């Protein structure tokens, strides 16, 4: 027969004290946790909003006759017909070709037009344009 030594009274008391201390700490944690959750729930507030955003439209149309307007988004665009043979120009000669621009009916905003010269060939730098 094997006998186990029985715990002495002071060791059993220490175990009981530890158990009570652990239970007290757990109970305190529960009380603090519930109190914190209730406090946060009282101080919490939410507001929501939605919005719909879209962009406007801007479309510039051109015409070589002043009546028929449409967009030419790809280069070279519309072909201008000059009144004089542009290949036989001399200094001081004036040739012109009308070209009109307008905003399309679908445009939502006004326009500020900036002209830029892009002329190829040997006399390109000597040519001017006006509006």
């Amino acid at each position: 027969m094997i006998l186990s030594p029985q715990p002495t009274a002071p060791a059993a008391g220490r175990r009981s004290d530890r158990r009570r201390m652990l239970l007290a700490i757990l109970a305190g944690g529960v009380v603090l946790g519930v109190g914190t959750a209730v406090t946060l729930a009282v101080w919490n507030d939410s507001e929501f909003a939605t919005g719909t955003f879209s962009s406007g439209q801007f479309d510039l149309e051109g015409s070589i006759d002043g009546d028929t307007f449409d967009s030419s988004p790809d280069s070279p665009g519309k072909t201008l017909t000059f009144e004089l043979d542009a290949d036989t120009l001399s200094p001081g000669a004036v040739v012109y070709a009308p070209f009109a621009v307008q905003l399309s009916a679908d445009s939502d905003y006004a326009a500020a037009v900036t002209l830029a010269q892009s002329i190829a060939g040997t006399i390109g730098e000597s040519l001017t344009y006006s509006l």
Side-chain angles (χ1 to χ4, degrees):
M1 167 157 69
I2 300 177
L3 295 175
S4 325
Q6 293 293 326
T8 60
R14 272 185 264 153
R15 228 181 278 147
S16 177
D17 287 343
R18 276 192 223 151
R19 181 182 167 113
R20 272 192 238 144
M21 189 180 342
L22 181 62
L23 289 174
I25 290 172
L26 288 174
V30 168
V31 168
L32 287 174
V34 169
T36 300
V38 169
T39 301
L40 287 177
V42 170
W43 289 349
N44 189 11
D45 186 21
S46 300
E47 297 294 329
F48 300 94
T50 59
T52 302
F53 300 93
S54 61
S55 62
Q57 183 170 329
F58 180 86
D59 184 25
L60 194 61
E61 298 176 328
S63 171
I64 57 174
D65 64 6
D67 293 323
T68 307
F69 287 87
D70 61 352
S71 293
S72 298
D74 298 320
S75 181
K78 296 173 178 43
T79 301
L80 300 178
T81 305
F82 290 88
E83 298 295 321
L84 178 72
D85 184 7
D87 291 334
T88 60
L89 287 177
S90 61
V94 176
V95 294
Y96 64 92
F99 185 73
V101 293
Q102 72 178 17
L103 290 174
S104 72
D106 297 332
S107 294
D108 298 329
Y109 300 100
V113 177
T114 303
L115 296 178
Q117 181 171 327
S118 174
I119 303 172
T122 56
I123 65 168
E125 293 179 3
S126 299
L127 298 177
T128 60
Y129 60 89
S130 63
L131 180 65

